[in-house]
Each structure stands twice: as structure tokens, then as C-alpha cells.
Amino acid sequence: MSKVHLAPSRKDIARHLELALHYECGLELQAFSNPEVLNNSWQTLLREYKVLLRDFPGSISCHGAFFDMYAASFDPQVVELTRERYLLNLDIAAELGASQVVFHTNFLPMIRTEFYRHEWLKNQRDFLLKLEPEAMQRNLRIAIENMWDPDPHLLLELFEGLATPHIGACLDVSHAYLYRLNRQQTVEFWLETLEPYVIHVHMNNTRGVIDEHLALNAQGSALDYTTLLPLLAGLERAPVLVVEIAEPDAAEQSLQFIRRVLG
């Protein structure tokens, strides 16, 4: 399952590493998104990970900082802090031999004005166009993940104005389901709308109220991955499909489910 990654959120990745080796998949390393790690122990953790992953045969991606990060802020000092964090994440990802780094949109849907949306898009494009050369220099691609985005058109408008091969979309399936403003817009509609830009996918399940990161086939969950998995696997740019589930048993349950559905 070379297109599939596991995403341990903890510093201790031993169990997820065992699963990745057994199921022949990759890893998305998420510990370096944690402010506590970035403020204190990132260098020590990076050294530990490099030893652990020295002979790892699978591909690697990383999740960057997202807590309170706001690349499209109207405040230049906030933008500068975000850029500082993102550059550190790019450096760490390059050290680990990763191919892609995920950052969030962090769009604020509570501000329902055309002015805010227009300026957010402008500021986000400017930020990413300045970040792209840094990613190219480190041989990395950047994937921008929907967080509280109310509709898929926000990312669509963003990427239509970028036209860069080194930056694409990370579609988080549960986020799309939970935070959509129009409840008639299905996850399939999000896929259809964003297909030309999706290079990375986050997969987990939810009961439909909060972001729970349940197993893909968890009992009582809202999302039908039996239908969604073939659609995700068939997307135009063959994105990395990330099982974003911290609990190892639920992650393994999901890997077995993927094997049954995709063969």
C-alpha cells in the first residue's frame, strides 16, 4: 500500500512504525506540529527520528505547525511568526527525507463578509508564493489542508490563482464533512470540485459532531469509506492517502479495511 501513510501524532512512533513496515506503507510525522516540541525538544526528537527511520523503506510526509498559525493574517507580525514556524517545518521535513509538508488554511468562517474572504485569498496567495521557493530549494511539496473551510470553493479559488506545481491541496475528509456550511454539499462534491489540486488526503471517521479521528469503518460513524476509498484512490494526481488515526489498534483496523476495499 505504497500510496497509504500512517499518521502518528505522538512523539513515540514505534507502534505506527511497526504497522507501516508490516503493511508496507509510509508515515506522516505529526509531532513537529506541536508547539511544545517546536519550542523545546525538536532537535532531540529529530535526532531520534533520524535513527529510527534510517532504514525505513516507505515514503515520508510531515505535518507542519497549525495551532494559532495564520498565514493570511492582516497583522504582519503574525505572518512573520507563521513564516518562521513553516520554514522550521520545511527544514525538519528535508532532514527526514520527506516529500510533502501539510499546513492548514485556518480560514475563519465566522467572519462572513466578502471583504474578509477576498483579502484572505489575496494574503494567502502572497504568503504561499513567497514560501514556494523555500520548498523547491528543499525538494518538497506543500499541501494546504482544509480546516474550518465552509465550502470547497475557498481552496479552489486559492489554487486557481497560484498555478504552481509545488503547492497543492490536502483534503481532510472529516473536516469537509463537519465544517461545511451547506449541509447539502457532500464529500463527493468536495472531491469533484478540488480534484485537479488534491495531492494529499487525510482520512479518519467521525460520528458527525466533533473531529474524533475514529477508525475508517468504526461502528456508528457518519462517513462511508466503502464508497469514498475508491474515489480517493482514483483522484487525478494520485494523492497520498493518510490514515490520520493516533490510536494504533484503530489505525490497523483501518489498514485492514483499506485492503479489503481496494484489494
Side-chain angles (χ1 to χ4, degrees):
M1 292 194 291
S2 59
K3 285 172 57 178
V4 175
H5 283 195
L6 286 175
S9 60
R10 307 182 183 96
K11 297 179 189 178
D12 180 7
I13 62 170
R15 179 66 179 129
H16 281 78
L17 178 55
E18 288 177 6
L19 291 173
L21 290 169
H22 179 75
Y23 288 91
E24 298 182 324
C25 56
L27 288 170
E28 181 182 298
L29 305 173
Q30 297 199 337
F32 296 101
S33 68
N34 189 324
E36 181 185 352
V37 171
L38 294 176
N39 283 321
N40 296 294
S41 58
W42 71 266
Q43 291 167 309
T44 300
L45 188 63
L46 177 58
R47 287 193 292 270
E48 292 173 358
Y49 275 21
K50 288 178 76 172
V51 172
L52 275 173
L53 299 169
R54 184 167 46 208
D55 299 317
F56 180 61
S59 57
I60 293 172
S61 55
C62 289
H63 200 304
F66 65 94
F67 289 106
D68 304 314
M69 295 291 99
Y70 196 31
S73 174
F74 289 37
D75 187 331
Q77 293 190 51
V78 174
V79 174
E80 185 55 36
L81 172 62
T82 304
R83 179 175 169 82
E84 178 184 313
R85 279 286 194 247
Y86 285 13
L87 288 175
L88 176 56
N89 283 135
L90 293 179
D91 285 338
I92 291 169
E95 281 284 317
L96 290 167
S99 58
Q100 297 188 166
V101 183
V102 177
F103 298 114
H104 282 195
T105 55
N106 285 355
F107 178 84
L108 302 176
M110 301 79 71
I111 307 175
R112 296 184 185 178
T113 69
E114 285 299 321
F115 174 78
Y116 171 71
R117 186 172 176 125
H118 178 272
E119 292 301 302
W120 184 93
L121 283 165
K122 175 181 176 297
N123 293 346
Q124 186 74 284
R125 284 194 198 102
D126 290 346
F127 181 94
L128 290 174
L129 287 172
K130 291 174 183 175
L131 193 65
E132 183 197 18
E134 301 287 352
M136 291 174 59
Q137 183 181 332
R138 295 163 177 80
N139 198 29
L140 291 164
R141 292 197 300 179
I142 293 171
I144 303 299
E145 175 183 347
N146 59 300
M147 183 59 193
W148 307 298
D149 302 26
D151 58 71
H153 298 103
L154 184 74
L155 277 173
L156 178 64
E157 291 175 55
L158 175 66
F159 289 114
E160 284 179 337
L162 277 176
T164 167
H166 294 91
I167 304 177
C170 169
L171 177 67
D172 188 295
V173 177
S174 284
H175 292 173
Y177 180 83
L178 289 168
Y179 303 123
R180 58 196 168 141
L181 189 60
N182 182 351
R183 306 306 289 180
Q184 301 305 311
Q185 289 183 350
T186 62
V187 172
E188 288 83 353
F189 176 75
W190 281 67
L191 292 176
E192 181 183 341
T193 303
L194 294 174
E195 178 164 10
Y197 305 104
V198 176
I199 61 173
H200 208 81
V201 175
H202 279 168
M203 306 185 302
N204 52 67
N205 222 319
T206 171
R207 294 182 183 90
V209 179
I210 59 173
D211 197 12
E212 298 170 274
H213 289 229
L214 302 174
L216 299 188
N217 58 338
Q219 187 173 5
S221 52
L223 292 162
D224 177 14
Y225 276 96
T226 302
T227 301
L228 287 173
L229 274 171
L231 298 176
L232 294 166
L235 286 172
E236 180 181 321
R237 295 182 68 176
V240 175
L241 305 179
V242 182
V243 177
E244 194 184 29
I245 299 170
E247 206 287 306
D249 290 342
E252 182 168 24
Q253 176 183 329
S254 299
L255 289 173
Q256 293 171 350
F257 174 71
I258 291 171
R259 276 188 169 179
R260 290 197 300 272
V261 173
L262 295 183

